[in-house]
Amino acid sequence: MNLTKGERLFSIFNYIFIGFLSFFAIYPFLYVLACSVSDTISVASGNVYLFPKSFRLDAYKMVLQQKEIWVSYGNTVIYTVFGTMYSLFLTICGAYPLSKERLRGKKIFSFLLLITMWFQAGIIPTYLNLKSLNLLNQRLGVIIGFGCTAFYVIIMKTYFESLPISMEESAKIDGANDLSILWNIILPLAKPSIATITLYYAVNRWNSFFWAMILLRDNSKIPLQVMLRKLIIETQAGGVSESAVNITNLGYSAETVIYATIVVAAVPIIALYPFIQKYFVKGIMVGAIKG
Amino acid sequence: MQIVNKPRFITKNKRYCRNLFNDISRDRYLYLLMIPFIAYYVLFYWRPIWSIRIAFMDYSLYKGFKGSPWVGFEHFIAFFKGPFFWRTLTNTFMLSIYSLIIGFPAPIILALLINEVRNKKFKKITQTLTYIPHFVSTVVVVGIVMSLLSPTSGLINMIIKFFGGNEIYFLAEPRYFRMIYTLMHMWQSTGYSAIIYIAALAGIDQELYEAAVIDGAGRWKQTLHITIPCILPTVVIMLILKLGTVMNVGYEAIILLYNPIIYETADVVSTYVYRSGLQEGSYSFSAAVGLFDSVVSFLLVFFSNKVSRWLSGISLW
């Protein structure tokens, strides 16, 4: 293709500009990473920009020695694994029947599902509801109180609708019932969609903090994000939290420790990200096509 | 006539019932499958919806739902007349307007620029890197932002000092909050929001460009007369849908980011609900504020979807 001088100039500028934007998107992570492995004095005086100054791993030793971090990490894994399984189960339970045109009451059920997208009960009614179900300060409450999202149910439903009906019909002739058709035929076919939705649920579970922060009182039950919030936000806002006291008592600068904790919390998502990226993009496209 | 009609009506009714019964028993496994799904929504969606009635009561934990007196719209009136109504409403809308003006065009521009890149590998890497912030948790993002803005060691203040300025306490001055929030949100979402525009751009018929080249149009002319008109419908829909969510600001991030010194600009309706309800314990009052919030956002989403559907046939449902 022949480009004019202006077009070539634009092209060069465009590459540089996009390159700069991409760098800017991940720079904060690189900055945090560099700070977490630098010495406390360089960090406290703001001398770290992109590369670590006098490399050391003291902050990580410090973080990994904290029992609370491990406990909250374990909790997050529990909430993510069981929560995702629970959400996925509910989503399939709802999406598969609703994908059948012949189902009596399909319209009413679908409409009731849509309402949940439009209208939220709000923070207080949700809180009082969980309270009245005795789910405050319970691990179970964080898992079962927040199950499926209407949006993902609809995505899943749309996918089920797109599958050819002929396989289902021939299995019916062979005497299979709907449950065995779903389990033996439909679910294996739907693996890519299920993978996408699982990842969305899992990332949401891993990252969620708001309800865990409100519902859980005991430090032994809180997930990593709530622990992080205590550490980062309360330390930086000048408040004193239990965990912050532990760290400062040991004579370390809290700053590098905070950076190390951020890295520890963000690593699983960022490390898995390149492998799961294509599923995410697929997911947003499925949602967009249906709209 | 009547004598003839009556039995026929009954048979029709009977047949309907029999068909309904047959259909339900044919699909019994599907209904069985739906039980957990319905149970979840009854327990964790409709039950809270039903307890919204405390917004019209003077609810106290000791008296419970049955013992608490009804007060009508008292809490709503108290909120509308109270000092925080205009403040929280203004802050909510201002944050939305900021993110509309600055945040809305950003993914479109990014998508257009990425679309001009011919090197596939570079394109892919760029997209991958710009999506990452979307998948990192709010707590981590806020933690990073706080570190960058720290007056003693934060990078931004280091740069200001390097150029001879004095350090700024960004999170202690109301006038910076809106910009901080908007830029933080942009950093998190621009790459990811660009996906939809990149897809729209990829869907443009290549023959249009070929025809334009034959007619002697350069890249700039092609962009102006083909690319932009082709993605305009997507842009309009996204804009309308975005307008429908002006009440829904990211209160989780705000709760992490704000402090009493900057409530003046940072306190939005949902953070006010959170504080007055869960921290101060005025359940009924904050349920009323929350209901107001829910109703207004419901109406906005509903009408923006109606408009979008009317214009283009595309809506969120």
Side-chain angles (χ1 to χ4, degrees), chain B residues 61-131:
Chain B
L61 284 177
Y62 307 103
K63 290 180 194 158
F65 283 106
K66 280 183 187 148
S68 302
W70 291 89
V71 295
F73 284 88
E74 200 178 274
H75 298 299
F76 292 88
I77 294 164
F79 174 56
F80 295 145
K81 285 187 176 163
F84 298 117
F85 175 66
W86 286 112
R87 188 178 86 173
T88 53
L89 208 61
T90 311
N91 287 340
T92 308
F93 280 114
M94 282 310 280
L95 283 182
S96 290
I97 289 168
Y98 268 59
S99 77
L100 207 61
I101 293 173
I102 308 170
F104 184 76
I108 303 172
I109 295 167
L110 181 66
L112 284 171
L113 292 178
I114 288 180
N115 193 48
E116 292 300 319
V117 170
R118 291 286 172 259
N119 184 330
K120 283 216 169 101
K121 211 168 197 179
F122 185 80
K123 211 173 189 171
K124 184 127 210 257
I125 293 171
T126 313
Q127 283 177 271
T128 305
L129 292 181
T130 49
Y131 301 161

Side-chain angles (χ1 to χ4, degrees), chain B residues 8-9 39 59 82 94 120 153 191 278-279 281 314:
Chain B
R8 196 181 283 162
F9 174 71
Y59 177 78
M94 282 310 280
K120 283 216 169 101
S153 65
L278 294 178
Q279 293 187 335
I314 298 174

Side-chain angles (χ1 to χ4, degrees), chain B residues 51-267:
Chain B
S51 64
I52 286 180
R53 67 188 189 282
I54 64 162
F56 305 96
M57 296 165 111
D58 237 341
Y59 177 78
S60 81
L61 284 177
Y62 307 103
K63 290 180 194 158
F65 283 106
K66 280 183 187 148
S68 302
W70 291 89
V71 295
F73 284 88
E74 200 178 274
H75 298 299
F76 292 88
I77 294 164
F79 174 56
F80 295 145
K81 285 187 176 163
F84 298 117
F85 175 66
W86 286 112
R87 188 178 86 173
T88 53
L89 208 61
T90 311
N91 287 340
T92 308
F93 280 114
M94 282 310 280
L95 283 182
S96 290
I97 289 168
Y98 268 59
S99 77
L100 207 61
I101 293 173
I102 308 170
F104 184 76
I108 303 172
I109 295 167
L110 181 66
L112 284 171
L113 292 178
I114 288 180
N115 193 48
E116 292 300 319
V117 170
R118 291 286 172 259
N119 184 330
K120 283 216 169 101
K121 211 168 197 179
F122 185 80
K123 211 173 189 171
K124 184 127 210 257
I125 293 171
T126 313
Q127 283 177 271
T128 305
L129 292 181
T130 49
Y131 301 161
I132 289 180
H134 178 80
F135 296 106
V136 173
S137 76
T138 313
V139 183
V140 168
V141 169
V142 171
I144 292 175
V145 167
M146 284 180 147
S147 305
L148 289 172
L149 296 176
S150 154
T152 51
S153 65
L155 184 75
I156 308 290
N157 272 311
M158 287 303 135
I159 294 169
I160 292 172
K161 277 184 209 162
F162 178 81
F163 287 107
N166 287 323
E167 73 266 20
I168 297 171
Y169 288 74
F170 284 103
L171 289 170
E173 286 193 45
R175 64 194 155 128
Y176 295 118
F177 179 79
R178 285 175 187 148
M179 211 57 205
I180 292 167
Y181 174 84
T182 308
L183 291 177
M184 182 177 96
H185 185 70
M186 250 179 87
W187 173 55
Q188 247 196 312
S189 67
T190 301
Y192 195 70
S193 315
I195 294 176
I196 202 151
Y197 299 110
I198 291 172
L201 289 167
I204 298 174
D205 192 349
Q206 288 306 310
E207 282 178 21
L208 291 173
Y209 290 108
E210 285 158 19
V213 171
I214 293 166
D215 288 347
R219 293 271 289 273
W220 172 242
K221 282 260 163 84
Q222 290 172 32
T223 306
L224 207 61
H225 296 293
I226 299 172
T227 313
I228 290 179
C230 281
I231 64 160
L232 203 60
T234 313
V235 174
V236 172
I237 294 159
M238 297 309 283
L239 182 65
I240 294 166
L241 296 181
K242 176 112 188 165
L243 285 173
T245 60
V246 288
M247 282 297 277
N248 313 352
V249 289
Y251 65 93
E252 296 192 0
I254 298 175
I255 285 170
L256 295 170
L257 203 57
Y258 77 172
N259 57 66
I261 309 169
I262 54 172
Y263 280 173
E264 188 188 323
T265 56
D267 193 20

Side-chain angles (χ1 to χ4, degrees), chain A residues 253-275:
Chain A
S253 148
E255 271 147 353
T256 48
V257 175
I258 287 171
Y259 289 122
T261 319
I262 292 178
V263 172
V264 168
V267 147
I269 297 277
I270 293 182
L272 280 177
Y273 174 74
F275 304 103

